[in-house]
Each structure stands twice: as C-alpha cells, then as structure tokens.
Amino acid sequence: MWTYRNEPASIHSVAQESRVTFNKNSSMHTSAKVPFSEKTFQSAAHSPVTTIGKASFAQRVIRSKKQFDIFTLGGALLYLTGMLLGALWQPGTDSWLWKYAQHYVDLQIDRHMEHQLAQIFCAQFLALLTQLILAALAGFCVFGVALLPALILLKGIGIGFFTACLYLEYGLAQGAGIEFLLFFFPQLLGLFLLLSQSTAAWHLSRELLAVCIHNRGTRPLTESKRVLSRLLLCCCTALLPAILSCVCSFLFAGLFLA
C-alpha cells in the first residue's frame, strides 16, 4: 500500500525533473529565441551589399570646389592668353575689322563722355547676358567641352584687341587711364560671372559626353539643374556690371574730356 500510494508521486517527480531538464536545455536548442538586436546584427553582417550609398554633403561640397577651382584656373589662363593674342594682333589698317574696331572704340568713348547712361547700361547688360546664355546652351551639348574654352578665349581676344585699339588711338597714358577707370572693373566682374556659368556648363557637357561614349554618366540631371539655376543667378547678377559701368562713367568720364 505504501508503494502504491507513492507511485503517483514518483511519477510526478519524474515529470517535473524532465520538465526542468527540458527548460534548462531549451537554451541550447537551435531554435532558441535570440534578442532582436543580435538578429539585426547577424542579418546585417550576412546580407550582401547591393547598392552604394550617396555621397555625403561634405563630400559633394569638396568635390564641387575642386572642380570649380580647376576649371576656373584654366579659364582664367585662357582669358589672359586671349588678351595677349588680341593685344599683339595687328590687322591691316585698310581691313574692315580694323575700321569696325575703330568705330566701336569711338562709339564706346562717345557714350561715356556724353553720359549716355541708358545706352551704356543696355549695351553692357545685353552683351553679358548673351555670353551667359551661349555658355549655358553650350553646356547642353556634348561639344560644349571644347566650345566653352573657345568662348572664354574669344572673349579675351576681344578685350585685348579693344584695349590695344584704345592705346593706339589715345596714347599709352590716356588709354591706360580710360581702360582702368571706365572699363576694367565692369569687365572683371563680367569675367567672373562668365567663368562661373561656364564652370557649371562644362561639367554638364562632360557628363553628357560620358553618357554618349562610355554610357556611364551619373549626374546629367543634377548638373542640368545646376546649370539652369546658375544661369538665373548670373543673369540677375549681370545687372551689377551694367550699373557699375554707369557709375564709372558718371564719376570718371569727365577726367578725359578734351
């Protein structure tokens, strides 16, 4: 009787021991629960890398600054080379180009001496606006990689030829004074705007050329947006050289009256 009464107790104890043993060994089972952080770490460690993340803002700024410095330096050197070529270029005195250059110089000087501020403003603004639009349009062409440096070079040749004609007609001292006080600062500001616009347009043209040749351009849409936004900004800023030209004419043109 004693053994019969304690038999269920022994069976119950065995069941409890087996339950305890199972609970203790459950952590060793392969399907045991793992914390969420460990699961995330393991999945991230074993998942293959399929995409490349975008560059950070600091990397994009550094890259754009480097590109801007390289092209600006090259454009400035081309501009100075064009000025030297234009100053040394001496066409025949009977050629139409020389006659046109003399007429243009006389027209500019007469406007400043007579204080025709409205005509000075319109001529300066429209000339710079045309150059900025041409630079922006060249950026949407694959040949803009070569056209934009040629545009800067031609601008330098025109300024150098204009300065040389000014020196030949008014002498070295008076011609240098007219150039520095009336034309130098508007030309310098206009050159800065043209280089800024040409920089963005050149990078867009290079991206389009990479797409056409290697089929690996990565930022044509981004560069096109940058060209259009830069064009809007430069066109608004082009008012400053025109205003500055009027101010220089009002302040210093009377010093060169005969």
Side-chain angles (χ1 to χ4, degrees):
M1 295 295 292
W2 179 81
T3 304
Y4 178 77
R5 290 181 178 178
N6 287 305
E7 188 175 0
S10 62
I11 295 173
H12 183 69
S13 62
V14 171
Q16 287 182 350
E17 289 178 359
S18 62
R19 187 180 301 172
V20 171
T21 305
F22 177 77
N23 291 333
K24 289 182 179 180
N25 295 330
S26 62
S27 60
M28 301 300 293
H29 198 268
T30 55
S31 62
K33 294 184 178 180
V34 182
F36 178 76
S37 59
E38 295 182 6
K39 286 184 178 180
T40 306
F41 176 77
Q42 291 176 0
S43 61
H46 293 285
S47 61
V49 178
T50 56
T51 59
I52 299 176
K54 294 183 179 179
S56 62
F57 177 76
Q59 293 174 349
R60 292 195 297 269
V61 171
I62 292 174
R63 181 180 60 192
S64 62
K65 285 183 178 180
K66 289 182 179 179
Q67 292 175 353
F68 180 81
D69 292 339
I70 291 173
F71 188 82
T72 302
L73 180 60
L77 292 177
L78 282 175
Y79 181 79
L80 293 177
T81 303
M83 286 189 64
L84 182 61
L85 294 176
L88 296 177
W89 183 30
Q90 295 181 357
T93 55
D94 295 334
S95 63
W96 66 271
L97 184 60
W98 179 257
K99 293 179 181 179
Y100 176 77
Q102 284 185 334
H103 173 72
Y104 182 75
V105 170
D106 293 337
L107 180 63
Q108 292 293 328
I109 296 300
D110 290 340
R111 285 175 179 174
H112 285 281
M113 297 305 174
E114 296 175 2
H115 297 293
Q116 300 177 2
L117 301 182
Q119 296 182 8
I120 293 172
F121 178 86
C122 292
Q124 180 73 27
F125 178 72
L126 292 178
L128 185 55
L129 188 65
T130 303
Q131 296 171 8
L132 293 174
I133 293 176
L134 288 176
L137 291 177
F140 288 91
C141 175
V142 294
F143 300 106
V145 176
L147 292 177
L148 288 166
L151 178 63
I152 297 174
L153 182 65
L154 289 176
K155 181 177 176 62
I157 291 175
I159 296 297
F161 187 62
F162 174 79
T163 306
C165 293
L166 200 63
Y167 289 160
L168 291 176
E169 187 169 352
Y170 292 95
L172 183 59
Q174 188 176 4
I178 293 174
E179 169 64 25
F180 181 75
L181 295 177
L182 297 181
F183 300 105
F184 177 75
F185 295 104
Q187 289 173 358
L188 184 63
L189 187 54
L191 173 63
F192 176 77
L193 293 177
L194 181 60
L195 287 178
S196 178
Q197 180 63 57
S198 299
T199 300
W202 188 79
H203 291 303
L204 172 60
S205 178
R206 190 182 65 175
E207 289 291 330
L208 295 177
L209 185 62
V211 171
C212 293
I213 296 179
H214 304 289
N215 196 18
R216 61 180 185 183
T218 57
R219 300 182 310 273
L221 182 60
T222 303
E223 296 294 340
S224 61
K225 291 180 180 179
R226 184 178 301 175
V227 168
L228 294 178
S229 61
R230 186 71 60 85
L231 177 62
L232 180 61
L233 178 62
C234 290
C235 288
C236 295
T237 315
L239 296 171
L240 296 179
I243 296 174
L244 184 60
S245 183
C246 294
V247 172
C248 292
S249 176
F250 180 77
L251 294 177
F252 303 114
L255 299 175
F256 305 102
L257 292 175

